Amino acid sequence: MLLKGEIRTAAQAAYLRNALRRIDLSELNPYWDEFIAECDKEVGNYLQDTYDKNKSLQAGNPAPQFTLLNLDGEKVQLSDFKGKVVYLDFWASWCGPCLQQVPYAKELQKEYADEEDMVFLYLSIDRDENAWRKAVEEKELKGVHILAKDFSHEVPRSYNVSGIPTYFIIGKDGNIYKKNAPRPSSGAELK
């Protein structure tokens, strides 16, 4: 059965919004203004917001800065890692696909163990701090662990994270090198 009317428009908008979060906007830029002009105004505004957020997250743009607490209650700033490549992993203790990546993440860390200019930064969106701490301890996952407590927190929002796991690679210059970076299980090169 084909969707019609407002339901069809809403479904298309939701699909397009999700696609905008994932694709390289450089492919879409030449067509964007014309596309928005032809959209229903509400849908256009809805999509424009997502487009604008993702445009700021394209490769070469500065990574959104943040300060969060680590497992020891110490402040960790993204800028602390300037001069290093940061593999940023948004995850949570309750996320099955995130936990499936843990063995691969451990292997990836071993692969880059000799690279002093590489940091594995795990940003949890767990609401329950104890669950986050327990998962890090039980999974014995090394790296820098910080907590943002929910998708509504300003840090996941600034990275336009709506689902997890989500990965970014941030270059030594503090700019985004790759959004939607490969999962540890992909076997892809990070640098």
Side-chain angles (χ1 to χ4, degrees):
M1 180 170 129
L2 296 175
L3 300 175
K4 297 183 189 248
E6 288 182 18
I7 292 175
R8 179 181 176 162
T9 301
Q12 286 175 328
Y15 173 80
L16 290 169
R17 186 172 189 212
N18 188 40
L20 283 172
R21 289 182 168 137
R22 300 269 177 219
I23 65 172
D24 180 357
L25 294 182
S26 64
E27 297 172 18
L28 184 61
N29 286 338
Y31 314 102
W32 184 251
D33 291 336
E34 181 181 337
F35 173 75
I36 286 297
E38 292 178 11
C39 280
D40 172 87
K41 185 174 180 169
E42 278 187 48
V43 172
N45 290 340
Y46 177 74
L47 295 173
Q48 186 68 50
D49 179 58
T50 302
Y51 178 87
D52 291 342
K53 285 181 182 175
N54 276 324
K55 193 171 183 181
S56 69
L57 295 171
Q58 294 299 296
N61 289 336
Q65 293 298 306
F66 56 80
T67 302
L68 293 169
L69 299 180
N70 67 12
L71 290 164
D72 298 323
E74 301 166 337
K75 288 182 180 179
V76 173
Q77 295 181 319
L78 181 59
S79 61
D80 294 342
F81 306 111
K82 193 152 187 169
K84 297 183 179 203
V85 174
V86 177
Y87 186 66
L88 177 58
D89 178 345
F90 287 88
W91 75 288
S93 66
W94 48 262
C95 169
C98 300
L99 298 177
Q100 288 174 340
Q101 292 297 312
V102 170
Y104 301 102
K106 288 179 177 180
E107 288 301 315
L108 195 59
Q109 287 181 9
K110 285 180 188 174
E111 184 180 330
Y112 287 93
D114 294 336
E115 309 239 0
E116 293 180 17
D117 64 345
M118 185 79 185
V119 174
F120 290 88
L121 183 59
Y122 297 94
L123 196 156
S124 174
I125 58 156
D126 272 286
R127 289 182 184 163
D128 181 346
E129 185 173 337
N130 291 328
W132 165 61
R133 290 177 177 282
K134 183 178 178 185
V136 171
E137 183 179 327
E138 285 179 356
K139 298 297 179 184
E140 299 178 341
L141 186 59
K142 305 295 182 221
V144 179
H145 292 273
I146 52 181
L147 180 63
K149 289 193 177 183
D150 198 36
F151 285 108
S152 63
H153 188 279
E154 66 184 65
V155 177
R157 280 194 344 239
S158 69
Y159 281 84
N160 211 18
V161 173
S162 62
I164 52 175
T166 296
Y167 305 91
F168 284 82
I169 298 175
I170 300 169
K172 294 178 182 184
D173 58 2
N175 292 336
I176 293 173
Y177 177 75
K178 185 155 187 69
K179 76 172 194 169
N180 300 319
R183 291 180 176 204
S185 61
S186 74
E189 291 289 318
L190 299 183
K191 294 168 86 177

